[in-house]
Amino acid sequence: MIASLKPTKLSGTIPAIASKSDAHRLLILAALCRGETRLIMEQRSEDIDATVACLRALGAKIALVPDGVFVHGIERVNEYPLLDCSESGSTFRFLLPVATALCEHVRFTGSGRLPDRPIGELLTVLQAHGVAFSAERLPFQTTGKLTGGRFSLPGNVSSQYLTGLLLATPLLEEDSTIFLTTRLESAAYVDITLHALKRFGVQVEAQDGGYAVCGGQAIQSPGELRVDGDWSNAAFFLAAGALGNPVTMTGLRLDSPQGDKAILDALKRFGAHVEVAEDRIIVSPAPLSGCTIDVGETPDLLPILAVLGACASGETRLINAARLRFKESDRLASASAMLRALGGRVEELPDALVITGGQLAGGTVDSCRDHRIAMSAAVASIRCANEVTILGADAVKKSYPGFFEDWATLGGVATCKPA
């Protein structure tokens, strides 16, 4: 899909969509329960649909309804299931340990950049605990069930490795300890996991350098849960409020474990007006000034922070960002290309971006099939002198299928047509 956006200031009120991060975890835990769990979430995405499909392949019964899903937990694991993770890294990395805890043989496949995204360290850990792999990258099949004990893995490659093990180890007969050999990065994503586990009655003990998990735990359905509002995707419309007219968002919890609520502090550092009320957040424009932001704990915010930096006076540095090269795109390269295509000035370093603010001209941006690049380019159009065209704009379906509809709700002008 190709989207053409006229430079238009957004304004108005919009609810946050359901958190993809929270939904992945809650869906998996609901599938591991006895009985039925209702998860309330008004919108799904391609990544969430990938997790639903994989859980069905394992044996869960999942009914999709307009305001969420009903999950009937796995009563009998399907034999030799095929799990197609599509392009979802979370689905793959979470379910690889879970599925091998449940099944003697599992087939995994995926598409897009997923087969090329890092997974080696997790495979090594699983191999040390009884799982063999037919190949080192997707597609592959596994043989042997996961066993408990002591797991050692790095914390600075992907927090998703740790989440996968935290979801799987309560299912094992043996007790387990998970030891991190390096400092944990993106720790807030693990906090989301721990919060989800607690809601399903699973006990995890945090220890110095890792976690202890008792085996044989019964995962208990809470009956009904509302999926958290999504701070990661809210960041785009909150940033739009800083660049155009005031934008109000509802449905976001300030006490959420999601690390991307750091967008509020980032907006304040740039100079935007941020007002937090009991049930809403209002962001209003103000003169923006460049700053330095460490994105090591919140890597998904880099593309939209790059747009803010391009619209601020002076220099903005987005540092500690090396892991962004292994996302849906190489996000240091794709974010740099996005800004240059729009007339911005940016220097790409091995682990950082240095952005010099100024007037954006507009132009054509290749999304690189990356949802966050597509949405960031849309927000950048607010400050462009001319129209912005986004190639591969349907990439937004990965996390926010209704993005352009919500864009129009706030007064944005976008024309979408098939490529």
Side-chain angles (χ1 to χ4, degrees), residues 48 52 72 77 99 101 105 107 131 160 185 188 247 316 388 394 399 402:
I48 293 304
V52 168
H72 191 87
V77 179
H105 301 282
R107 294 168 292 164
V131 182
Q160 293 174 349
E185 295 189 9
V247 170
T316 294
V388 171
D394 52 320
S399 66

Side-chain angles (χ1 to χ4, degrees), residues 202-226:
V202 178
Q203 295 184 351
V204 175
E205 180 185 352
Q207 298 182 337
D208 186 26
Y211 301 87
V213 185
C214 291
Q217 294 193 52
I219 299 176
Q220 303 164 13
S221 172
E224 180 177 294
L225 288 175
R226 174 173 286 278

